[in-house]
Structure formats: C-alpha cells, structure tokens
Amino acid sequence: MTDFSDIYYASSDGRLPLYARDYGLPQQGSLQGIPQNGPAILCLHGLTRNSADFHDLAMHLKGRYRVICADQRGRGRSQWDPDAINYQPLIYAADMVRLLDYLSLDRVIVIGTSMGGLMAMILGTMARTRLVAVVMNDVGPELDPAGLARIASYTGKTPPAANWAQAAELAKLTNGVAFPDYGPDDWVAFARRLYTENAEGVPVLAYDPAISGGLKADTQTPVVPPDLWAMWDALAGLPILAIRGALSDLLSARTLEKMAQRHDGLKTVTVPNRGHAPMLDEPEAIAAIDAFLAEPRVSA
C-alpha cells in the first residue's frame, strides 16, 4: 500500500494531462474535533519544485485531512507545455480550479510555497468562495529583487547531473543558502525530491527548463498581476498563516510586518536557520500549521 494515490486530470485549457498526489480521505472516528466533512488541503509548490516537496507535511496531516499535492504543468508527472507562455501563475491557478472541479471539492485550505503562495492569492479572486484558509510559505505581495535574481540565476540553467551524488551537490549549490545546517543525507533527500530518474537511471530535473519563460525577460520577475497588494487586501476576512524563513531573500521581515498591518488577525511565524523557503517539516513550521488548522474558523 502506497502513502498516496495518483490523480490524473485535464488542464484548464483541456490540452495537457496533469497530475496530483492524493493522501486520502480522513479516517473515521475521533480526529481532534475535525469533522469528516471538513475542508481538504491543497498544497501548491514553488517555481522549480513539485508535489514531492510536501510529502512529509502530507504524511503528518494524513488521517486528519484529505491532502492533495499538485504538480503544476511542466513539473513532476504533469505534462510539459509546448507553449512556454503558459508557464505563469494565472494559468496554474486556473488549472487548480479545474482540479477542484474534477475532485468535487468545494472547500479547501491552500498551503502555497513561494509561487504557490502567489497562486493562493490569485485563487482568492478566482475561487474565493472555495477558500477556507491560506498558509503562505515565504512569499507575499512584495518580492525582494535579490531573491528573484537568485532564483532566475538557476531556473532552466542547472547543468545536468551524471549520478545522484552529483545531483545532491547541484541541489546544495543552488539551495545551500536556504538550508545552512543540511548535511549530506539531507541533500540526497532534497535531490530525490527535485530530480527524477530517466530510463538509464540518470537523475534529471523534474521540470521543463522552459518554465523560465514564465519570468519576464526584462526584470526576471514572475508574470503575475501587477498589484499584488490589491490581491492581498482582497483576502480580507480569510484566516491566513504566513511563514517566513529567518534567512529569506524573497520575503523580507518588513514586508511580513506590512502584511500583518493590512490583514487583521494574520498569524505569522519565522522559522530559524531557513532561507527561501522552509520545507514545512521544521518543528516551528509544523507547530504553527497544527495550531492554525485547529482554529475553529479553519477546521469547521
């Protein structure tokens, strides 16, 4: 028996088969007060990542919630898009609405890392009535240019790996600043999430290099609606938890403070010794997510 089942469905434009992991329905019986008909959790990954990023968190939540972890088009087991202009958060968000329709899910808690958090804000305008709550992982309505430049420096440009040891070294090279306490075993595990294995047993990055087409050529910023603060303000009334890595170069402490000023009741937590972005397996992140999900407005 596997930890999750496979979901295959059509993209919002009907052209691509997309994939998601389904960690199953809540178990019967006592679930810490969480009703059986409570909201599902939809996990949305970052720019170059995929559904595997959320495995540890999903296993922690499994049995209490139905957890769905999606591979966006061009990542993981979802098909690559022959038209790179479609690699942008607005279209990804439309794909997620299609996934919710396919699964007949009317109430979800969205957990979004980096680009996934931008998608959560977009879903707040596309499908607001379906959102019960949002967890924003190291992203906000204002993106630090330093972090954007770092991400753009390797997206679609990472050299090929000859073996898994080299894949781990490359993962460390591009992400080491965010995880300064990781050891060799951690980087192997990280690489196993970031890469897949081809028929010859060689690791290859689990994303289409063309996803960099979703970055504006002039500024290397994501193609998203221009006024993200307006989208943030539109989430007023929704319970939101904002998680920040203490070393983050994408979400500044100042932006997090501004987010709290403009969203009454925002819950925040800063994860020590983490940059962009926490893996959400850190004790501080797990504790904050558990407490947030236990709030009556979120779990009902």
Side-chain angles (χ1 to χ4, degrees):
M1 181 178 180
T2 60
D3 296 325
F4 55 86
S5 58
D6 300 326
I7 299 171
Y8 292 96
Y9 65 104
S11 59
S12 56
D13 51 21
R15 298 185 302 111
L16 306 173
L18 302 182
Y19 173 81
R21 297 181 176 197
D22 186 348
Y23 285 83
L25 297 173
Q27 297 171 354
Q28 297 296 320
S30 176
L31 293 173
Q32 301 180 15
I34 299 169
Q36 292 292 300
N37 62 348
I41 292 177
L42 175 65
C43 296
L44 307 176
H45 60 72
L47 179 66
T48 63
R49 311 298 273 273
N50 59 74
S51 58
D53 266 6
F54 294 102
H55 179 72
D56 290 344
L57 177 63
M59 292 301 293
H60 173 74
L61 298 171
K62 185 178 180 178
R64 291 183 284 157
Y65 293 89
R66 184 181 187 183
V67 183
I68 308 295
C69 304
D71 283 345
Q72 302 307 318
R73 60 174 70 196
R75 284 85 162 174
R77 295 168 68 176
S78 287
Q79 186 170 309
W80 292 10
D81 196 316
D83 190 349
I85 194 61
N86 293 322
Y87 288 140
Q88 53 178 289
L90 283 167
I91 291 179
Y92 304 146
D95 289 340
M96 294 303 95
V97 173
R98 175 64 65 90
L99 173 59
L100 297 182
D101 288 344
Y102 179 77
L103 297 176
S104 299
L105 294 176
D106 295 326
R107 302 172 66 242
V108 293
I109 299 163
V110 176
I111 300 178
T113 294
S114 193
M115 181 188 77
L118 300 180
M119 292 168 59
M121 288 194 289
I122 295 169
L123 287 171
T125 62
M126 277 189 180
R128 171 59 185 265
T129 59
R130 298 170 101 154
L131 298 191
V132 173
V134 173
V135 177
M136 301 275 286
N137 183 23
D138 210 62
V139 69
E142 202 167 297
L143 308 177
D144 192 312
L148 288 171
R150 181 180 59 80
I151 294 168
S153 72
Y154 64 77
T155 301
K157 305 169 188 174
T158 303
N163 50 51
W164 281 106
Q166 194 172 93
E169 284 300 314
L170 289 168
K172 180 179 180 180
L173 182 66
T174 55
N175 296 277
V177 65
F179 305 95
D181 59 348
Y182 268 23
D185 291 344
D186 297 310
W187 287 117
V188 169
F190 194 99
R192 290 285 179 178
R193 292 188 293 264
L194 189 60
Y195 289 76
T196 188
E197 199 169 75
N198 66 16
E200 290 73 40
V202 177
V204 292
L205 284 166
Y207 69 83
D208 180 357
I211 62 169
S212 59
L215 301 174
K216 295 178 183 176
D218 55 345
T219 62
Q220 293 295 288
T221 54
V223 180
V224 295
D227 191 353
L228 289 174
W229 281 110
M231 299 186 75
W232 175 252
D233 293 341
L235 296 179
L238 271 183
I240 300 180
L241 167 65
I243 298 172
R244 177 179 181 267
L247 308 177
S248 178
D249 60 358
L250 192 76
L251 176 63
S252 70
R254 178 183 174 276
T255 297
L256 185 61
E257 181 180 346
K258 188 176 177 182
M259 290 164 66
Q261 291 170 351
R262 294 173 66 149
H263 189 96
D264 186 43
L266 176 70
K267 306 292 184 182
T268 66
V269 62
T270 298
V271 180
N273 217 27
R274 286 290 178 270
H276 180 75
M279 288 302 301
L280 304 184
D281 59 359
E282 301 85 359
E284 298 84 0
I286 289 289
I289 290 171
D290 280 345
F292 179 68
L293 295 178
E295 293 183 9
R297 283 202 306 158
V298 178
S299 62

